[in-house]
Amino acid sequence: MKIVDGVQLHLIKSNKYKTNHITFRFSGEYSKKTISRRVLIAQILETANADYPTAQLFREKLSNLYGASLSTSVSTKGLVHMIDIDITFLRDKYTLSGEKILDEIILFLKSMLFAPLLSVAQYQPKFFDVEKTNLINYLDADKEDSFYYSSLALKKYFYYNESLKVSKYSKSDLVQLENAFTVYQEFQKILREDRIDIFVLGEFDEYRTLQLFHQFPFEPRKKDLHFFYQQEVSNIVNQIIEKKDINQSIIQLAYHHPIIYGSKEHFSLIVLNGILGSFSHSKLFTNVREKEGLAYSIGSRFDIYTGLLDIYAGIDIKNRSKMVQLISKEINDLRMGRFSADILKKTKQMLITNALLAEDQPKVLIDLAYNESYLPHSNTLSTWIDKIDNICKIDVMRVANLLKLQVVYSLESEDE
């Protein structure tokens, strides 16, 4: 349902929850130049504004709305960087006197967006500096997580695109460059130019909801977004060893895949990843961690939007060469079909069970609605389940043969 060009309202009726849920999603470019600004904006939005100029007053207002819960987050799909505002609140029928909580919530969201806490065309400096410091401290603390650090390092060596080398939360040296003026100007640009999707999920009056959102002063916009990124495969495997003051060494392997979102190969890749390293019965876990005892932790994951599959493990560094050999063997076994019908069946059952459990989460339903609106070949949950269930052994083998090793990254203790 169009509010103006580029701003869509999605109404998802459901009476299974005692609460309603609203998500505002702003979709813009995933650019190294603007990631820091967008993350700071997400923090600022959930902290204070001109109508509620302190964090205490802001939270008191939410508390007075029958304990409404509000948060913001950032995420990515390919070369798209998204800011979400999520608010969960009691349905009107469960309030003590039948108050119109939905009306108040929407007005509160309007004040978040159109009444920022300003001082002469910029965010109020003292307030802004606190949020900037908080983000820098958060990013610096994350560097101490060896798995997080090595995951970012792997992306730096895998991707050719400079923006994809940066975390969706940015990095502290980029945040340092921003100020109250640059971030506020970016916020105004987001309001003018980002694709905006508003999701309302629960039990509500559709006409009243539409009427309230039409009061938001959104301007028409046309935003071209690139959800998919593919790079050329390299015939050379890049091998990197980095030393750091850590207790446990980490090894990460990056594989290139050329698989298209929504294709049959996409579903085959989901099943392959489950067999390889997503579950406790997966081959990496049972063969490398349990049988060989070479990893403290191990797993695999993939990004369908950017062509990356990575395998990660916490190891003793003396086992590095053997670990790479064993991981390569597990990939090769998948290529050759050396896996049982039982592990294929169990993996598909686990994937379907997890999908059915996730169906009860409002944010999962919202992501499905978003994907159906903008991504080609998106599927309903029932269709997704059918496609997973129909994957056979030869499908997994075909996808395994498309994987090409690109990077072997090792993060080691300085003492070794």
Side-chain angles (χ1 to χ4, degrees):
M1 195 175 297
K2 185 167 72 173
I3 304 290
V4 296
D5 286 342
V7 180
Q8 289 286 128
L9 177 62
H10 309 258
L11 301 178
I12 307 170
K13 297 298 287 275
S14 173
N15 57 11
K16 68 164 65 173
Y17 310 106
K18 287 187 176 180
T19 56
N20 285 339
H21 186 98
I22 296 177
T23 292
F24 259 84
R25 176 166 291 178
F26 300 86
S27 301
E29 295 93 351
Y30 189 20
S31 168
K32 183 178 179 180
K33 295 177 182 178
T34 59
I35 294 171
S36 297
R37 298 171 194 172
R38 295 176 69 89
V39 177
L40 283 164
I41 287 162
Q43 285 191 195
I44 288 166
L45 283 169
E46 69 169 342
T47 306
N49 59 30
D51 294 333
Y52 308 98
T54 68
Q56 182 179 344
L57 289 171
F58 190 89
R59 291 295 157 184
E60 281 178 0
K61 176 59 180 177
L62 288 168
S63 180
N64 291 336
L65 293 171
Y66 285 87
S69 171
L70 181 138
S71 63
T72 61
S73 60
V74 296
S75 59
T76 61
K77 291 182 189 291
L79 294 174
V80 178
H81 193 258
M82 297 170 288
I83 299 172
D84 282 8
I85 303 171
D86 294 299
I87 188 162
T88 303
F89 55 98
L90 205 62
R91 282 165 54 184
D92 290 349
K93 68 182 290 185
Y94 293 110
T95 61
L96 294 176
S97 308
E99 294 100 320
K100 300 295 183 184
I101 296 295
L102 178 66
D103 291 38
E104 288 198 62
I105 290 290
I106 293 175
L107 290 173
F108 181 71
L109 287 167
K110 185 179 180 183
S111 120
M112 285 176 63
L113 296 177
F114 298 103
L117 187 56
L118 300 181
S119 174
V120 193
Q122 63 178 4
Y123 284 118
Q124 205 280 327
K126 185 180 284 189
F127 159 68
F128 173 83
D129 288 343
V130 169
E131 295 307 314
K132 179 177 175 178
T133 300
N134 288 342
L135 179 57
I136 290 169
N137 290 341
Y138 169 80
L139 292 169
D140 286 342
D142 265 352
K143 288 179 185 176
E144 302 308 311
D145 182 326
S146 298
F147 276 103
Y148 180 75
Y149 180 92
S150 62
S151 177
L152 289 180
L154 188 78
K155 290 177 180 179
K156 182 174 70 175
Y157 292 109
F158 176 80
Y159 289 121
Y160 304 158
N161 182 288
E162 289 300 316
S163 297
L164 290 173
K165 296 180 180 185
V166 181
S167 162
K168 63 187 175 185
Y169 304 111
S170 192
K171 52 184 184 175
S172 54
D173 59 333
L174 292 177
V175 177
Q176 288 281 13
L177 300 174
E178 304 300 340
N179 58 53
F181 178 79
T182 60
V183 175
Y184 177 65
Q185 294 307 308
E186 184 66 29
F187 177 56
Q188 291 303 301
K189 184 182 176 190
I190 285 171
L191 285 178
R192 289 193 313 270
E193 298 182 10
D194 265 28
R195 182 181 292 174
I196 299 176
D197 291 275
I198 307 163
F199 301 89
V200 184
L201 186 153
E203 194 68 32
F204 48 86
D205 182 312
E206 292 186 30
Y207 176 76
R208 179 60 179 158
T209 302
L210 182 61
Q211 188 180 47
L212 287 166
F213 280 117
H214 266 295
Q215 295 174 14
F216 284 47
F218 290 125
E219 300 171 6
R221 76 282 314 276
K222 180 174 173 57
K223 191 71 170 179
D224 292 325
L225 296 173
H226 303 283
F227 290 99
F228 305 107
Y229 166 83
Q230 271 288 351
Q231 63 188 31
E232 293 295 320
V233 66
S234 172
N235 293 322
I236 300 170
V237 177
N238 195 4
Q239 300 194 49
I240 301 100
I241 297 174
E242 183 176 352
K243 300 284 188 177
K244 196 171 184 285
D245 183 16
I246 54 174
N247 295 322
Q248 178 184 311
S249 295
I250 310 289
I251 191 164
Q252 298 226 22
L253 280 70
Y255 288 82
H256 174 280
H257 74 76
I259 294 161
I260 297 169
Y261 176 91
S263 64
K264 182 174 182 179
E265 288 77 14
H266 180 189
F267 293 91
S268 303
L269 183 62
I270 293 170
V271 175
L272 177 148
N273 188 56
I275 293 171
L276 181 63
S278 288
F279 299 113
S280 59
H281 70 267
S282 298
K283 288 167 70 66
L284 290 174
F285 191 89
T286 56
N287 293 343
V288 179
R289 184 181 185 273
E290 303 257 303
K291 185 178 174 182
E292 297 290 340
L294 292 181
Y296 302 110
S297 56
I298 193 166
S300 65
R301 59 202 164 199
F302 71 91
D303 188 335
I304 193 61
Y305 302 100
T306 63
L308 168 66
L309 181 143
D310 74 281
I311 297 169
Y312 54 90
I315 63 169
D316 282 331
I317 200 57
K318 66 179 184 290
N319 297 323
R320 182 182 65 211
S321 295
K322 189 172 183 182
M323 175 63 74
V324 173
Q325 291 172 4
L326 284 173
I327 291 172
S328 297
K329 178 184 181 300
E330 295 300 336
I331 295 286
N332 199 48
D333 282 351
L334 292 177
R335 290 171 177 150
M336 302 295 291
R338 298 186 187 124
F339 57 95
S340 68
D342 183 61
I343 195 173
L344 175 62
K345 181 181 178 181
K346 188 171 184 178
T347 298
K348 292 196 292 185
Q349 287 174 340
M350 290 287 287
L351 288 166
I352 291 168
T353 299
N354 287 351
L356 290 170
L357 290 172
E359 186 185 18
D360 286 332
Q361 301 173 25
K363 201 61 186 287
V364 171
L365 296 176
I366 285 166
D367 278 331
L368 284 171
Y370 181 85
N371 287 352
E372 286 175 20
S373 296
Y374 298 116
L375 302 184
H377 314 300
S378 289
N379 295 275
T380 62
L381 182 62
S382 60
T383 304
W384 188 94
I385 288 171
D386 287 342
K387 290 190 175 182
I388 289 292
D389 202 33
N390 288 327
I391 296 301
C392 64
K393 189 169 192 173
I394 194 73
D395 297 324
V396 176
M397 292 167 61
R398 283 198 191 104
V399 167
N401 278 283
L402 296 175
L403 301 178
K404 305 296 181 186
L405 182 61
Q406 302 290 282
V407 181
V408 177
Y409 172 82
S410 182
L411 182 63
E412 303 176 4
S413 170
E414 291 174 340
D415 299 330
E416 294 177 311

